[in-house]
Amino acid sequence: MSRRTTGRGPTPTLAQPLRLPSGGRIAACGGLFLLGAVVGVAGTLVQPAWFPGGLLLALAAEAGLCLGGALALRSRAGAASAAGGWVLVVILLTASRPEGDFLFAAGAGSYLFLLGGIAVAVMCATLAPGRQPDGAPVRLGK
């Protein structure tokens, strides 16, 4: 026989209806998106200047922003917002201009920055600590 809830006790998080986020949460996500864009532009300029160190510094800055955003908002939305701003700006900066100017040369450093940055963004957005429901532990005896 299965146990059914009788309406007593807290409703599980996944069973609650969706609601719109607060204005402060939307503003925080927008700010993290803009910070991700700034980190993307800075990383684009720093990574070719000092090749091994600049690349590591740019990727560490992105990882720090994504994880910091996730911890600040206590959800994965913070990491995803920062990563979205970074990815959008870096992808837009890969395009060359009609005059022939470009920011990314065809070298190993540029490809490591692009692919490594996207990998860091995905890892931070998926592995960031998400919101946990409050309540009793799921396992018995803990």
Side-chain angles (χ1 to χ4, degrees), residues 32-65:
L32 285 169
F33 186 86
L34 291 176
L35 277 175
V38 168
V39 168
V41 170
T44 300
L45 298 175
V46 166
Q47 65 91 15
W50 308 296
F51 171 60
L55 175 65
L56 293 175
L57 180 67
L59 293 177
E62 181 198 4
L65 176 66

Side-chain angles (χ1 to χ4, degrees), residues 11 16 19 29 33 38 53-55 72 81 90 92 101 103 107 135 140:
T11 307
Q16 295 175 358
R19 57 191 157 117
C29 285
F33 186 86
V38 168
L55 175 65
S81 298
V90 169
L92 289 176
D101 299 335
L103 289 172
L140 296 175

Side-chain angles (χ1 to χ4, degrees), residues 90-104:
V90 169
I91 295 298
L92 289 176
L93 289 176
T94 58
S96 62
R97 296 181 38 176
E99 295 87 17
D101 299 335
F102 57 89
L103 289 172
F104 289 102

Side-chain angles (χ1 to χ4, degrees), residues 73 83 126:
L73 289 182
T126 56

